[in-house]
Every structure is written in structure tokens, then in C-alpha cells.
Amino acid sequence: ASAMAVWRQKEANGGRREPSIAERALTAFYLPDNWRGLWSTKQGDGEVSCLHGIRVVSIVWILLAHLFILYQAMPAINYPDLVEAMGKVSFQVVTGAFFAVDTFFLLSGFLLVFVTLKHVARTGNSRINVPLAVLHRWIRMSVVYAFFIGVWEFVAPHVSNGPLWPIFTGPLHRTFNPILVPAAEGSPSACQQYWWANLLYINNFVPSERPLAFGCMPWTWYLANDFQFFVIGILLMAIYCGYSKRIARVVMGTMLVACWVVTGTRNILKGWQVGFFALLEDDEFYIKPWTRIAPYLLGMMGALLVSEHQEQLRRWLLRLRRFGRVGLHVLLASAMLFLIFVQYSAHKIPSTPWTPVQTFFYNTFSRSVWGLGVLWVVFCCATGMTPNVNRLLSLSLYRPFARLTYTLYLVHLPVIAALLYSAKNLIFLTYANTVVSFPAVIVLGFAVACVLYLLVEAPSLHLNKLIMDNTYMRKASLKGKEEQQRGDETMDEESCHPPTASKEATEASVSSQSPYDSVDLMEVRV
């Protein structure tokens, strides 16, 4: 059908006939075009290309952490050895991967502001259609999301077999958390009960008791937070661009301080601890938006600096002596490494208890400090202060894999689980096993994500763009008719010819007015 649609479109163009909407829709499923689009390395004007490398490194880091988590959920001959391994200094690189989630939040906020300001500057239209932007975002995220919920519920249990496979098809598939919540045999799965919460992006609140233990595809709590932050962010940008920059800045700063105050207060009241095991005790610290929004807001603030004050920022950095710039590099890099490895004392056996003051400051500000470190890397790359780092993170090789980060995030845990629970006997947990398994998980995860992208995500993106473009064309057509009618009235009154516009000029005007024709408000989706 797609090949026929391409032929029909070429025939239509040769015959000087515009292809129909149906014909253009069918071309969205044309695999060669989707494949070329996936592997395209074309760079856009004014693009902050280092973000591609940061995205790929971050998603691979998350794969490493989740691989160890699922190893821990497996029946093993030497399970105590894994618990003991978490107390080693080197293992903190694995547990520190949870900061990669904050990296993605920061990049999402950064891209939202960067792309929105770019659109406003290009079109000269400072009014942002918030409902349409939110609808666009929902469609972009939800098509492939809904498809994979169906795959997880109806296909995943049948992809393998073996003595350990009943663990996958039983409690793991029902709750994805057999250690904490062993579901009763024959009980409905979480996705049968709560799939609607995922598609409404409230699955970080539903079910009300322990979403990470009882929710549908609980690792997708990130998507709920990201969508909620997008709604907040696009509202702030509507205020910033259309009403008052000062009010928008004040609201951003107030929300950042409120995040710190709420997180610190809840930390005192609920006695949160530090480390991986603390995440298993209370979902609020890990998945609720009021504890996670700080990096997103920092990303938005950083994008405002880069977009509107890039030259001033560059001149400020140049005025710093070389020693000052190196000092800032060392300071922020040391802070990020400290956040990762300081957890060693909480993970080792026996662990060293943290004081309430230490726990308060770490849990309240660690994610913000991490976000500032990542933001500093983006600043230095965007302003040319670290050309070697920028070249490394901007390699064209990263671009195709960066496009797959959303689908990879959806599929990676099922891929890891299917790989591990297909084993024919109990495993012996060692670092060597992980070293061997990790590259296999990366390759297999990206391969499955590539298939999902080509068959589902890319067509949905093309169809979404077609719908949005068609919507703007209809609006422009109505606007043109109104202008022509007013022109006819003016002609009748003044006996002069009304102004006319060619079809090409009208289409160009429509294209320049649509914020969804060539920019992507969903650049960072994981």
C-alpha cells in the first residue's frame, strides 16, 4: 500500500494534481523513507548538537542500572553476593544511573524553551496555542505508547519459555515487582486495570497505593512526569512570550524554591533515607512531580540564557581567566562524582547511617546540583568553550540512536526481562555475567526499538504532522476567504481592485505560522 501510495503521488505530481490526504497518509508507512529518516545526520540551523550525545549516554546508563535491578529480581544461586556487591565503590556507578533520569528532565525543559523561542523568532507570532501544543504532545507520545502497552499485555508472555519463564508470565508480568508484591495467581494484570492511567499520564498517581509496585508498566512513571512538566512548561512559555517575561521568570523561580521546600519538608516528616534501598520504601520521593521538577525548571532557565543571552554568556566566560574556567569545570565535575559515590556509605554492608541533616541536604538538592552540572556542559558546548567535548558529544553517529531513545525506554525492561528469564537454569551472579549481558542488552534493545520506530513511531509522527499541517491550511484558507471578503467590501466602497495572493504565497505563509511543521517540541522524550 505504501509503495502504491508513492507511485500514485509521483503520478499525481506528474499530472499536475495535488496528492490527496489519503495518499499522503499512506506514504507515512513507507519503510524506505522511514529508514532514511532514522539514519539522517542532517544538522538543523542553530541546533545544540551536543544534546544527542548526552541523550544516548544517559539511556545506556539507565540500561545498565535496570539490568542489575532485574538480576536482583531473579532466583540466583548466590543472591547474597549481589547485595554485597552493591556495597563496593565501583558499584556506585550503577546506582548513580538514577541521576540519568534527571538529565532527561533537564534536557526536556531545555528543548521546550529552545524550540519555542526559535519558533517565535521565525514566525514573529508570540501567541502560543497551548491546547493545540498539549494535544500535539499527547498524540506524539501516546500512539507508540498505547501500541506497546498492548504488546506488553498480549504478546510479551508468549515470546519465550523455560523453567524460569513462569516468573515472567506470572507475578513479574502482572506487577513487574515480584519481590515486593507477589500477585495472586489468576488476578488481573496491572495493565488490565490501569492502562487508562498511563494514557492520561497520571500513572505516577494511579493506583494511589504504590504505583511503582502496582501500576501498569511502572517504569513509565517518567513519561507521566514528563508530560505533566510539559503542560506546566508550555503554560509558562505562553506567559513568557505573550504576556510578561518577568512574571514567567518569577513563577519559574518560585516553583524551583517550592520544589526544594516541599522535598525537604517531606524528607523530614517521612524520614527518607539515601540510596537504592530507600527507593523501595516510598514512591513519593522517586516518582512524584513535586520532588522531580527541579531539573526541568533548571533546563528551562538555562535555555532562556542560551537562546536570548548567548553572546553575553560567551563574553562572560571569555572574561574568566583560563584558571577560572578550569576551576568551574573541576568544581562541577567533582560535585557530580560526589553525588554518585557518596552513596557508598549507605550501600555498603554494614551501612553507615546518615544524619538527618545530611539526608535532608542530599535528598533536597542532589538532583538540582546534578542538573546544574549537566547544564554547565551544555553551556560550554553551545558557546564553544569546550570544543573537544562538543565534538565528542556531537558526533553524527549519535543522531540515529538519539531518535530511538523514546522507543528504547518503552521496550528496554521487557527486553532485559525476556533475555534473563529465558535462561534454562539458575544463574550465578558475577560481574563477568553482567559484562557479557550488557552489550547484548544494548544491541537487542536498540534493535527492538528500531523496529518499533519504523513500524509505529515514525508513521505516527508523519500522520501527526499531516494532521497539524492540514489544520493550519484550513485555518489559513478561512482567514484568506475572510480577507478576500473584506477586500471585496473595500473594493465596492473605494472602487479599487482587491489585493490577491498566490497559492504559493499562501502556503508559505501557512508554513511559517505552524509551530509543528519543522520543529519538534518532543526532541527529548525519554
Side-chain angles (χ1 to χ4, degrees):
S2 296
M4 179 61 69
V6 172
W7 178 82
R8 289 284 303 279
Q9 183 170 347
K10 291 181 178 179
E11 181 184 44
N13 292 336
R16 301 183 181 278
R17 179 177 67 85
E18 288 293 328
S20 66
I21 296 295
E23 290 170 339
R24 292 170 61 190
L26 283 175
T27 61
F29 298 90
Y30 190 51
L31 288 179
D33 284 350
N34 294 341
W35 177 260
R36 285 190 294 269
L38 171 62
W39 291 99
S40 173
T41 57
K42 182 180 179 181
Q43 181 173 341
D45 295 334
E47 181 180 292
V48 184
S49 54
C50 67
L51 301 184
H52 300 296
I54 296 174
R55 290 166 66 184
V56 173
V57 171
S58 298
I59 193 65
V60 170
W61 198 11
I62 289 174
L63 289 181
L64 177 64
H66 285 173
L67 175 61
F68 271 95
I69 289 175
L70 284 191
Y71 261 132
Q72 188 186 36
M74 291 189 66
I77 298 174
N78 62 330
Y79 178 77
D81 292 346
L82 178 62
V83 178
E84 183 179 352
M86 293 184 64
K88 296 182 178 180
V89 175
S90 59
F91 198 85
Q92 307 318 303
V93 175
V94 177
T95 57
F98 293 103
F99 284 113
V101 177
D102 299 297
T103 299
F104 277 113
F105 280 137
L106 181 131
L107 297 184
S108 294
F110 186 96
L111 261 297
L112 169 62
V113 173
F114 189 81
V115 172
T116 302
L117 292 180
K118 183 178 178 181
H119 163 70
V120 170
R122 187 180 70 251
T123 63
N125 181 12
S126 61
R127 299 290 181 177
I128 297 176
N129 190 331
V130 174
L132 187 61
V134 172
L135 176 63
H136 173 72
R137 176 77 161 194
W138 185 87
I139 295 173
R140 292 289 304 270
M141 296 178 66
S142 299
V143 174
V144 65
Y145 192 11
F147 178 86
F148 192 72
I149 290 176
V151 171
W152 169 249
E153 180 64 28
F154 301 108
V155 178
H158 307 288
V159 298
S160 187
N161 54 45
L164 300 179
W165 195 246
I167 301 176
F168 180 92
T169 59
L172 189 67
H173 184 254
R174 282 194 290 271
T175 65
F176 215 86
N177 208 335
I179 295 179
L180 293 180
V181 187
E185 187 68 27
S187 62
S189 69
C191 286
Q192 289 175 347
Q193 300 178 72
Y194 304 116
W195 59 268
W196 53 271
N198 291 58
L199 296 183
L200 291 177
Y201 298 96
I202 57 173
N203 51 300
N204 55 340
F205 292 99
V206 178
S208 58
E209 181 184 359
R210 303 301 307 277
L212 276 181
F214 293 97
C216 171
M217 294 171 51
W219 65 94
T220 59
W221 68 266
Y222 168 86
L223 303 181
N225 280 272
D226 186 70
F227 188 84
Q228 293 159 14
F229 297 163
F230 176 84
V231 174
I232 296 172
I234 199 66
L235 286 171
L236 289 174
M237 290 309 298
I239 297 172
Y240 185 89
C241 297
Y243 297 96
S244 171
K245 293 184 178 181
R246 177 174 296 181
I247 292 176
R249 293 192 188 106
V250 170
V251 173
M252 286 183 198
T254 303
M255 292 182 67
L256 179 60
V257 174
C259 174
W260 293 335
V261 171
V262 172
T263 303
T265 303
R266 298 296 290 171
N267 182 86
I268 295 173
L269 294 177
K270 304 193 75 171
W272 290 335
Q273 298 300 312
V274 173
F276 170 75
F277 293 107
L279 301 178
L280 304 179
E281 298 174 359
D282 194 330
D283 290 352
E284 181 180 357
F285 176 66
Y286 194 64
I287 70 173
K288 299 304 183 186
W290 51 82
T291 65
R292 305 299 311 229
I293 197 172
Y296 196 95
L297 294 171
L298 289 172
M300 294 184 67
M301 295 174 182
L304 290 177
L305 282 176
V306 172
S307 299
E308 298 193 338
H309 306 287
Q310 185 170 352
E311 285 304 317
Q312 294 92 320
L313 181 63
R314 179 179 173 82
R315 285 196 296 269
W316 177 79
L317 290 173
L318 287 174
R319 281 198 298 269
L320 288 176
R321 295 184 178 181
R322 183 178 181 85
F323 177 78
R325 291 196 297 271
V326 172
L328 284 174
H329 294 334
V330 173
L331 175 63
L332 289 170
S334 300
M336 297 174 76
L337 291 174
F338 173 80
L339 293 176
I340 293 173
F341 289 100
V342 74
Q343 299 179 83
Y344 164 71
S345 61
H347 290 150
K348 70 178 182 179
I349 299 177
S351 62
T352 302
W354 285 44
T355 67
V357 174
Q358 292 172 331
T359 304
F360 170 84
F361 279 101
Y362 187 88
N363 287 340
T364 302
F365 299 108
S366 59
R367 291 163 179 162
S368 299
V369 173
W370 181 268
L372 287 174
V374 177
L375 195 58
W376 176 253
V377 174
V378 176
F379 279 166
C380 293
C381 292
T383 57
M385 290 294 99
T386 53
N388 292 330
V389 174
N390 187 45
R391 279 194 292 269
L392 178 63
L393 293 175
S394 303
L395 293 174
S396 58
L397 177 65
Y398 288 126
R399 295 174 184 272
F401 297 102
R403 293 188 182 100
L404 296 175
T405 50
Y406 180 46
T407 50
L408 178 59
Y409 186 78
L410 288 175
V411 308
H412 77 284
L413 269 174
V415 166
I416 295 172
L419 185 65
L420 296 183
Y421 286 92
S422 297
K424 303 304 180 184
N425 47 41
L426 296 179
I427 63 172
F428 189 85
L429 297 171
T430 64
Y431 274 109
N433 287 345
T434 307
V435 170
V436 172
S437 301
F438 186 47
V441 167
I442 295 175
V443 174
L444 187 59
F446 272 111
V448 176
C450 181
V451 174
L452 193 62
Y453 176 89
L454 293 174
L455 297 180
V456 182
E457 185 180 13
S460 70
L461 299 184
H462 293 314
L463 292 174
N464 188 22
K465 180 179 182 299
L466 178 63
I467 293 171
M468 292 297 175
D469 288 349
N470 191 49
T471 300
Y472 273 89
M473 287 292 290
R474 287 198 302 268
K475 289 183 178 180
S477 177
L478 292 174
K479 183 178 179 181
K481 290 180 180 179
E482 292 176 358
E483 291 179 351
Q484 184 175 2
Q485 184 177 3
R486 288 196 300 268
D488 290 341
E489 293 174 355
T490 303
M491 179 184 65
D492 292 338
E493 293 176 0
E494 302 180 2
S495 298
C496 64
H497 296 288
T500 59
S502 66
K503 179 180 179 181
E504 291 78 5
T506 302
E507 290 179 349
S509 174
V510 173
S511 178
S512 67
Q513 292 173 3
S514 170
Y516 311 115
D517 53 350
S518 60
V519 300
D520 186 7
L521 296 182
M522 182 69 178
E523 284 290 341
V524 180
R525 296 163 295 185
V526 181

